[in-house]
Amino acid sequence: APESQLAAVVSSNTIESINNTSSDEIFIFEQNGNIRQLTNLLESFNAGRTIDSLSWSPDEEKIAFWLHNGEGHQSLTVVDVSTGESTNYCITSLATDNFPVNLPAPIWLPDGNRLLVENRYAPDKSKLLVVDISIGLAFPIAENVNPIGWMTRP
């Protein structure tokens, strides 16, 4: 979060485990030295999960990321930084070796209500989606392209 006094990191919570399984969690580091665990995925899913590609919203109130289910799929998830409430937007992508790079981090549009994400729906096919988190709607805008960023006029 470039202008705030917060930093987010992903780490496995090795203190808590279920059936000797730990899970990635997001932790927030505050400038005053306080650390708080933002997510509770192990408790929520009763199983280990892996987090990939964090992306802060422009207003620094949310973090979007890809959540791996351990069975070859990743889902778009957004967590509220104040409350820790996570929302899965049911946008899933395959975790496959057929793509040369990892799934790109979600890209926030300047309004903070929409995300640009790649949806890998087959081993060699993908769609570029705009996901409006304010109304829970996603729509495709291109196929088989990689999102790089969102440009705005000065």
Side-chain angles (χ1 to χ4, degrees):
E3 297 186 24
S4 77
Q5 307 300 314
L6 304 175
V9 298
V10 174
S11 181
S12 290
N13 185 348
T14 56
I15 296 170
E16 297 179 24
S17 67
I18 295 175
N19 299 325
N20 292 325
T21 300
S22 63
S23 183
D24 279 357
E25 302 290 355
I26 299 174
F27 293 85
I28 298 294
F29 288 78
E30 300 174 6
Q31 187 179 27
N32 63 10
N34 289 340
I35 302 170
R36 64 184 165 96
Q37 184 174 334
L38 183 61
T39 58
N40 289 291
L41 301 173
L42 184 62
E43 182 180 305
S44 297
F45 292 101
N46 203 30
R49 293 290 186 260
T50 304
I51 295 172
D52 192 22
S53 305
L54 298 183
S55 179
W56 283 92
S57 64
D59 61 9
E60 301 176 356
E61 293 180 4
K62 298 176 221 55
I63 299 173
F65 57 95
W66 291 107
L67 183 63
H68 298 257
N69 70 357
E71 298 173 7
H73 290 89
Q74 306 166 82
S75 58
L76 176 65
T77 305
V78 176
V79 63
D80 184 294
V81 174
S82 298
T83 65
E85 181 180 338
S86 294
T87 303
N88 179 333
Y89 284 92
C90 299
I91 305 295
T92 60
S93 285
L94 297 174
T96 176
D97 293 334
N98 290 16
F99 286 95
V101 295
N102 289 338
L103 200 57
I107 299 168
W108 289 93
L109 276 66
D111 67 9
N113 289 319
R114 294 174 291 168
L115 290 156
L116 185 65
V117 298
E118 183 180 0
N119 170 230
R120 296 178 178 171
Y121 62 92
D124 59 351
K125 297 186 185 305
S126 69
K127 289 183 182 176
L128 194 58
L129 303 176
V130 173
V131 180
D132 188 327
I133 65 171
S134 66
I135 59 173
L137 180 69
F139 56 91
I141 59 171
E143 288 196 31
N144 301 320
V145 296
N146 296 324
I148 296 172
W150 192 264
M151 296 177 61
T152 59
R153 288 185 180 173

